[in-house]
Structures are given as C-alpha cells and as structure tokens.
Amino acid sequence: MDINMQKRNEVLAQTVIKGLESRNMSGYYAADKEAAVKQALELIPEGSSIAMGGCASAHEIGLIKVLEDGNYNYINRDKLSPREGLLAAYDADIFLSSANAITSDGVMVNIDGNSNRVSCIAQGPRKVVFIVGMNKVCSDLDAAMKRARNVAAPANAQRFEVKTPCKTTGKCFDCKSPDTICCQFLITRYSRHKNRIHVILVNDTLGF
Ligand code: SF4
C-alpha cells in the first residue's frame, strides 16, 4: 500500500475509534494483519468459547487458524447442525464478525440472509470482536448502506448457489427474490453494554 494511503488510514482509524468510543464501543488500530491477530488475542482469553458469523477477514488475517491450533474452544459451525450452531453461538463467550461497512463516526452496517450473524451481534454472545479492514470505512451512513448493498452483498452472493440480480450484474437491485441474501439490515449505532463490542481496524484490504 502507498505510504501516504497508509498514513491517511492511520489517522482515519483514530477518527473512527473516537466515534466508536462515543457509542459505548471500543476501537483499536492494527497496522497490519499480524498486529490485528495480536490485538484480537488480547481480547480473547485462552479457554474461551468462540463462534463466528462468516467472517472472511478473520480467516484472512490468520486468526481462525491460531484459535483452532491454540487453547481455545473454537466452535466450527460446519461440524454442527444449523440449530446446534446457532444455539452454541448465542451462548459463546466471544463472537467474531466483520462489518459490511463502518462510518467514519463509528456506525456499523451488516446485511444478513439467515440472520444468525446480525442476531448474534445484537444480542447473545458475551463479547463481540469485529475485524474490519480500512477498505470498509465510509464517510456516512448513506455511503455505508450503499457499500453494504452494492459491494459487500453482491460479492457475498458469489459464494452461494443463488439466483439474484446482483450475482450476475455486480450491483444491488433491491430484489425480493426467494434467494435474496438481504433479509435483515442491522445498524449498530450504540452498545447498551460497555465492553461488549470491540472493533479492530486493520490497515489492509480485508473481506468484502
Ligand atoms: S439484488 Fe437482492 S440479494 Fe443482491 S444485494 Fe440486492 S437485495 Fe441483496
């Protein structure tokens, strides 16, 4: 990454962190993927049960492998029935997620089809740790919604066997397809519970 973009991201991250703190959430800056893993492990005590809601960013920084190999109870939902996975996630110590977009004043947007991810962000797991690349920071809520709809969701649709307009055009048509992956939109603008939501901003391009 260009050095000037790195510096811009670093100062922008401090702006986002101030916004998060004003919303009863905690923010952290990580200069690279290794620093992000180190920061995440400071938030995840050994022995914790950890669930995840389809967080590509956590895989990309190498965090999932560290958890699987270490002294943690990582809940691999692929090895459970959907119902078992959901109930285990609700009761987990830690829930890992990314955001589809985050505004420069700390509001997060997440879209979900099955809604397991957004429901666990909103309530259930004792602590939620977000891994968010600086590529997801948007100027305001309108821009964040547009990013979630027109970048994150169409990219996510490529992972599934779905027949949605975004999968073939790369942009959102606000569809009502039975296959839509956009059933719920969660806007996280404040945390009722202090020390529950933690956001690690990584100076890298992560996820989608
Ligand atoms: S076209 Fe449908 S599935 Fe695709 S992003 Fe828009 S609402 Fe979601």
Side-chain angles (χ1 to χ4, degrees), residues 6 8 17 20 25 34 36 42 52 58 69 75-77 81 91 104 113 125 151 156 168 177 183 185-186 199 201:
Q6 281 184 33
R8 174 265 189 185
I17 289 167
L20 287 163
M25 299 183 273
E34 291 72 26
E42 285 181 19
M52 188 184 68
D69 293 348
I75 300 164
N76 186 340
R77 61 181 181 172
S81 71
D91 195 37
S104 54
V151 179
N156 201 22
T168 50
S177 158
C183 298
F185 288 65
L186 178 69
V199 181
L201 296 159

Side-chain angles (χ1 to χ4, degrees), residues 33-196:
K33 291 175 182 169
E34 291 72 26
V37 171
K38 190 164 177 283
Q39 179 60 65
L41 294 179
E42 285 181 19
L43 295 166
I44 305 173
E46 283 195 314
S48 299
S49 57
I50 302 140
M52 188 184 68
C55 178
S57 301
H59 279 289
E60 287 174 30
I61 64 171
L63 177 59
I64 300 304
K65 175 143 183 42
V66 170
L67 296 175
E68 285 179 327
D69 293 348
N71 184 24
Y72 303 92
N73 175 20
Y74 177 69
I75 300 164
N76 186 340
R77 61 181 181 172
D78 293 339
K79 295 182 178 170
L80 301 171
S81 71
R83 183 71 184 160
E84 287 172 336
L86 184 62
L87 293 177
Y90 281 143
D91 195 37
D93 297 315
I94 313 279
F95 188 73
L96 287 176
S97 182
S98 189
N100 292 144
I102 182 169
T103 68
S104 54
D105 65 346
V107 177
M108 286 182 282
V109 173
N110 279 285
I111 296 178
D112 210 340
N114 285 324
S115 311
N116 57 314
R117 185 167 68 116
V118 295
S119 63
C120 283
I121 292 169
Q123 186 63 270
R126 294 157 189 82
K127 188 188 283 184
V128 184
V129 177
F130 285 88
I131 312 291
V132 184
M134 287 300 295
N135 53 307
K136 295 185 176 176
V137 178
C138 299
S139 56
D140 55 26
L141 186 55
D142 186 45
M145 290 296 284
K146 283 182 175 147
R147 184 188 193 283
R149 277 178 172 273
N150 291 296
V151 179
N156 201 22
Q158 301 300 327
R159 298 196 299 136
F160 304 114
E161 291 294 321
V162 292
K163 291 180 182 160
T164 60
C166 60
K167 183 158 182 179
T168 50
T169 65
K171 63 167 282 188
C172 177
F173 281 80
D174 195 22
C175 78
K176 294 175 190 165
S177 158
D179 281 350
T180 184
I181 61 167
C182 304
C183 298
Q184 309 280 345
F185 288 65
L186 178 69
I187 295 173
T188 303
R189 64 172 295 279
Y190 197 92
S191 176
R192 173 74 69 204
H193 308 288
K194 194 157 184 69
N195 292 323
R196 181 170 183 267

